[in-house]
Amino acid sequence: MPDSARLPDRPVIRQLPPDAVNRIAAGEVVERPAAAVKELVENALDAGATAISVSIEDGGLKRICVEDNGCGMSGADMLMALERHATSKLAPGADGMIDLLNIHTMGFRGEALPSIASVSRMTITSRAAGEDAAEVFIEAGRVEGPKPAAWTGKGETGTRIEVRDLFHATPARLKFMKSDRAETMAVTDAVKRLAMANADVSFSLESNGRSTFRYAAHQPTPEGHLERLGAIMGRDFRENAIAIESERDGVQLSGFAGLPTLNRGNGSYQYLFVNGRPVKDRMLTGVIRAAYQDFLARDRHPMAALFVDCDPELVDVNVHPAKTEVRFRDAGNVRGLIIGSLRHSLAAAGHRASTTVAGYALGRMQSEGESQRDAPLPQPSVWDRSSLFRDSYGSPPPRPQVSPQAYEPAPPTPGMAEGETRYDAPSVRMEADLPQDGATHDFPLGVARAQLHETYIVAQTRDGIVIVDQHAAHERLVYEQMKAQMASDGVKRQALLIPEVVELAEDEATRVLDRAEELAEMGLEIEAFGAGAVCVRATPALFGNMDAASLIKDLADDFAEYEEGLALKERFEDVMGNMACAGGAVRAGRRLNADEMNALLRQMEATPYSGQCNHGRPTYVELKLADIERLFGRR
């Protein structure tokens, strides 16, 4: 048999018909109703709309209607917009060429309208300035119109696009749609993301005739932007967000990030926008995690909305048909800018902690029989670093008038220090020699009044009280000092008068001794002492007297989880944080006098990030006097 007999027939190359081309494009651009809504809303934004309303039925599969007050279109414009790859957003330059790297609009491919129309029944009604309103109907490639129409839109000009029976022309795709509820949630998320990036535009969304949300337009200022973000991300975020503003090598970063003590169990509240375009970038999760790694446990995630603005030529928005991914020319610069800006802003926040910490504490104090609906959870404010520079703090609350004979302190208990008063509970003590003048309240964290259970410091501020976890607070202070020393000339160490020998399993001892040189840079000097034993000759000076054996055992456990070739500097935060926790921090159960308690408070006020410990837990709770009075029905 000749070889030619085994060859298949030569295939015939054909040009696909326009309707097939559009349906293929629809599969790339319009994969679900949310994608269609996103494309239509972006078109409205590019048209200069200041008010956009979206209405859907059955998750958008039955009906989508997007109406705006933008510049509108004439009948001829509508027909041209329905042609494939027709767009008003790209224009040829002087050389007649179109620069696809210089994109200043939300959309530019010219695929959205013809793609959506190819798999639905679409009606476009629009009115441009100086034109009569017109209407076009499209179904399966068949176009009717334009014909005159009545205009009842949001403004003198604008466009209303109604999409019915999405994917009716491609029934197979309907099988891959999720439930109406899931599709509605996807539409809601898509519109919210666009609303976050355009605070000066009002947005509304209705689902099955019921209002989902309405966002009023705000001034294009940071305050207005934060109002919009708060409406979407929640009041807690608005009250506990820190502003981000930075620039590097032509890339500008702005937005807001939540305090570390305001966190979530997943990263769903982390948003990134590039030149006003919401994008989902895998880089974002890693970058934000790196910026917060000193302050959060591994299973907690911060909240943030970050906006990157740069020359369009520095970013490629043409990576994905749905325009949800971008590629930066210098991704390293963007990563460094985000991490540096977040860390700088967190440092500027000082010891500030989230109001949700106090809100949670107050909520726990509510009686079990009292409904949260009947008694809304108070949200006391926290100290702002700028208050250090204010001249006055307002008038202090009036002090109750108590007769001098109303209370006689009990005589001191034998063995107690002079001036120290102990209540009936042996774990509660109050310093009687603390100054009582009002000026002492001007400290942001107040003045220490008592120590509870040798663990918690109670301080009085001008308008409330602060309860401090002494171990968590000092753990952060020691850690920050260790970082500062490490960055300068290494952690200072103190030699032990009598070296301490720590017994370990042989493999544990080997793991620790293999890191001896790296630990020496961190102030811990060790050497081998026979099989399975480690001799500790010096410890970080910041730790003072410490339990070296416990620290070595903890480090041995930590090193078992690290990769063998991983330098400790790459896990610097973990190692230093655990050393600070195990070695140098004031332990719970240690009795502090008045000077020690107040010194701790003053050091917290001067140390960045002191509102949370190294594991992300709050170091203090502030309760405002007004909220305490509410608990007792005095307000």
Side-chain angles (χ1 to χ4, degrees), residues 19 23 45 89 132 257 261 297 470 493-494 502 608 627 631:
D19 61 330
R23 286 200 299 271
L45 290 170
K89 303 167 186 180
D132 293 329
T261 42
Q470 66 188 42
R493 68 187 78 171
Q494 61 179 6
V502 183
D627 297 313
L631 291 175

Side-chain angles (χ1 to χ4, degrees), residues 85-400:
H85 299 310
T87 180
S88 62
K89 303 167 186 180
L90 293 175
D95 57 357
M97 301 294 291
I98 292 179
D99 186 359
L100 292 179
L101 297 179
N102 192 17
I103 307 299
H104 294 269
T105 59
M106 299 292 290
F108 57 90
R109 290 172 175 266
E111 294 175 314
L113 283 182
S115 297
I116 298 172
S118 68
V119 292
S120 67
R121 299 180 177 93
M122 177 187 287
T123 302
I124 305 175
T125 307
S126 188
R127 184 178 187 275
E131 299 276 350
D132 293 329
E135 180 179 285
V136 171
F137 175 77
I138 315 98
E139 179 182 7
R142 178 175 56 87
V143 179
E144 295 181 4
K147 60 183 180 180
W151 177 249
T152 59
K154 294 179 173 295
E156 292 296 321
T157 61
T159 301
R160 179 173 58 250
I161 299 181
E162 186 177 50
V163 178
R164 289 187 175 274
D165 302 325
L166 189 63
F167 300 125
H168 82 94
T170 53
R173 180 166 289 274
L174 287 173
K175 299 178 182 179
F176 293 91
M177 294 297 106
K178 298 183 179 179
S179 66
D180 290 351
R181 177 179 174 82
E183 297 299 337
T184 299
M185 291 177 63
V187 170
T188 302
D189 181 68
V191 179
K192 282 185 174 181
R193 287 176 183 269
L194 291 168
M196 293 170 71
N198 299 274
D200 56 342
V201 178
S202 67
F203 286 83
S204 67
L205 173 64
E206 290 185 358
S207 175
N208 295 329
R210 299 182 61 181
S211 176
T212 302
F213 60 74
R214 292 181 182 275
Y215 301 139
H218 297 281
Q219 293 295 322
T221 62
E223 293 77 16
H225 208 163
L226 183 58
E227 284 295 320
R228 172 60 61 80
L229 293 177
I232 297 173
M233 300 177 68
R235 183 182 64 177
D236 289 342
F237 181 78
R238 184 177 68 243
E239 294 179 349
N240 300 287
I242 52 179
I244 308 294
E245 192 71 38
S246 189
E247 189 273 338
R248 180 192 295 176
D249 297 337
V251 180
Q252 294 182 335
L253 177 69
S254 61
F256 295 88
L259 293 167
T261 42
L262 178 70
N263 51 67
R264 295 277 182 155
N266 56 50
S268 61
Y269 279 77
Q270 296 173 6
Y271 301 93
L272 178 65
F273 302 83
V274 178
N275 289 345
R277 185 191 309 277
V279 298
K280 297 179 181 179
D281 197 309
R282 288 177 296 180
M283 176 189 76
L284 176 65
T285 303
V287 166
I288 294 184
R289 167 60 62 185
Y292 278 83
Q293 63 183 352
D294 271 8
F295 322 116
L296 287 180
R298 292 189 178 276
D299 60 343
R300 303 303 297 177
H301 301 265
M303 301 172 67
L306 304 178
F307 300 82
V308 176
D309 293 286
C310 62
D311 189 306
E313 294 189 357
L314 298 180
V315 58
D316 183 3
V317 298
N318 201 21
V319 177
H320 191 276
K323 306 185 296 294
T324 57
E325 300 177 9
V326 296
R327 181 179 294 121
F328 291 100
R329 179 177 295 180
D330 187 355
N333 177 49
V334 177
R335 283 194 296 267
L337 174 63
I338 293 176
I339 294 175
S341 299
L342 285 173
R343 285 185 172 270
H344 177 77
S345 297
L346 290 172
H351 71 265
R352 184 180 168 195
S354 167
T355 60
T356 56
V357 176
Y360 176 77
L362 287 166
R364 299 289 289 183
M365 292 180 188
Q366 300 286 347
S367 62
E368 293 184 2
E370 184 178 1
S371 169
Q372 290 293 333
R373 181 175 300 176
D374 297 333
L377 184 65
Q379 292 288 341
S381 60
V382 296
W383 172 75
D384 190 315
R385 194 173 180 84
S386 61
S387 61
L388 281 175
F389 308 101
R390 295 176 187 156
D391 294 330
S392 64
Y393 287 78
S395 301
R399 297 186 179 218

Side-chain angles (χ1 to χ4, degrees), residues 434-448:
L434 287 171
Q436 299 295 320
D437 58 288
T440 59
H441 299 163
D442 288 349
F443 292 114
L445 291 179
V447 174

Side-chain angles (χ1 to χ4, degrees), residues 394-473:
S395 301
R399 297 186 179 218
Q401 299 299 319
V402 181
S403 169
Q405 290 80 23
Y407 169 71
E408 288 288 339
T413 302
M416 291 177 57
E418 183 179 355
E420 180 180 312
T421 302
R422 176 172 295 179
Y423 293 109
D424 292 339
S427 58
V428 180
R429 46 188 297 277
M430 184 179 113
E431 297 291 338
D433 58 347
L434 287 171
Q436 299 295 320
D437 58 288
T440 59
H441 299 163
D442 288 349
F443 292 114
L445 291 179
V447 174
R449 294 301 185 202
Q451 183 186 31
L452 308 181
H453 300 283
E454 286 78 43
T455 301
Y456 302 102
I457 299 170
V458 179
Q460 180 179 343
T461 63
R462 176 168 290 279
D463 59 353
I465 64 172
V466 170
I467 305 174
V468 178
D469 182 335
Q470 66 188 42
H471 173 67

